[in-house]
Amino acid sequence: MSVKELITVPDDILRKISEPINTLQVNEKKLIKDLFDTMYHHNGIGLAAVQVGILKRIIVLDVSKNDNEKKPLCFINPEIKKLSKKMSTYEEGCLSIPNTFLEIERPEICTLSYIDENGDKKEMECDGLLSTCLQHEINHLDGKLIIDYLSKIKKDLIIKKLSKQKTSNRVIV
Ligand code: NI
């Protein structure tokens, strides 16, 4: 088991665009395992590789609420093909933005193509929490965060608050 350190706002790496994966090799498989370990350890339901500081287009998810019945899902190079006009709203949190929950409106249904952890090309249509989560994580791969859905004033306030929290733990001796 390997739990990685989470990268949080305002770290600049969270704003970078992640690179597509060409071949699935030992390194990527190890990374996928680490992402699952890290996500479960922090009780998250989704995690993108960039959140542990690695700019690769890999996402892990588990939106099952039952601890006894885990449903781990891995998406490599996910690409959104279609979004519904109908919208839905969830209160979203993010492992990279501690103690912040925001109501975000997103298309309710999304269709995407991706590569699974075995290297197989897949396509799927999803709705509900899975759709919201996938869109949230794909945003991470493109350097976009939930605070970007806010007005600039509100966004700056949150960044300022989180920056202060960070420095308040810093001790210089
Ligand atoms: Ni997030």
Side-chain angles (χ1 to χ4, degrees):
M1 175 143 160
S2 182
V3 174
K4 299 280 183 199
E5 197 185 329
L6 287 173
I7 308 275
T8 54
V9 167
D11 197 309
D12 281 344
I13 198 168
L14 292 169
R15 296 311 194 169
K16 301 244 156 72
I17 310 270
S18 295
E19 295 285 333
I21 304 289
N22 295 320
T23 50
L24 257 187
Q25 291 180 346
V26 183
N27 275 351
E28 284 76 26
K29 295 205 169 166
K30 161 107 180 43
L31 172 61
I32 291 166
K33 208 185 157 295
D34 291 348
L35 288 173
F36 276 121
D37 289 343
T38 307
M39 179 185 76
Y40 286 126
H41 176 80
H42 290 282
N43 294 318
I45 56 174
L47 190 69
V50 59
Q51 294 180 274
V52 298
I54 295 167
L55 289 165
K56 290 184 177 175
R57 298 187 85 82
I58 302 178
I59 287 167
V60 296
L61 285 175
D62 189 340
V63 294
S64 66
K65 286 186 183 132
N66 189 343
D67 259 359
N68 304 320
E69 221 182 290
K70 287 196 167 119
K71 285 193 183 134
L73 294 170
C74 174
F75 300 85
I76 298 158
N77 300 345
E79 228 177 279
I80 291 183
K81 297 291 180 189
K82 216 169 107 188
L83 292 168
S84 66
K85 286 206 180 86
K86 201 177 168 205
M87 308 291 276
S88 66
T89 305
Y90 278 90
E91 199 177 13
E92 297 182 27
C94 180
L95 289 175
S96 293
I97 314 174
N99 307 319
T100 306
F101 293 90
L102 303 172
E103 281 201 343
I104 311 277
E105 190 184 47
R106 299 181 188 274
E108 188 178 310
I109 305 165
C110 77
T111 310
L112 74 156
S113 68
Y114 64 99
I115 294 166
D116 71 9
E117 65 274 33
N118 301 313
D120 295 327
K121 263 197 152 185
K122 297 257 170 86
E123 210 165 283
M124 85 185 274
E125 185 187 272
C126 54
D127 60 6
L129 184 58
L130 181 57
S131 171
T132 288
C133 251
L134 270 166
Q135 291 175 59
H136 175 124
E137 298 308 332
I138 291 171
N139 277 170
H140 273 301
L141 302 183
D142 295 321
K144 188 168 177 177
L145 300 168
I146 49 173
I147 48 175
D148 300 344
Y149 289 84
L150 298 172
S151 68
K152 191 176 180 312
I153 297 172
K154 282 188 186 162
K155 180 174 154 178
D156 288 348
L157 264 174
I158 290 178
I159 293 173
K160 213 173 148 188
K161 206 176 86 191
L162 291 169
S163 305
K164 269 192 193 151
Q165 279 175 6
K166 264 202 162 168
T167 49
S168 67
N169 289 328
R170 198 179 288 158
V171 192
I172 304 169
V173 283

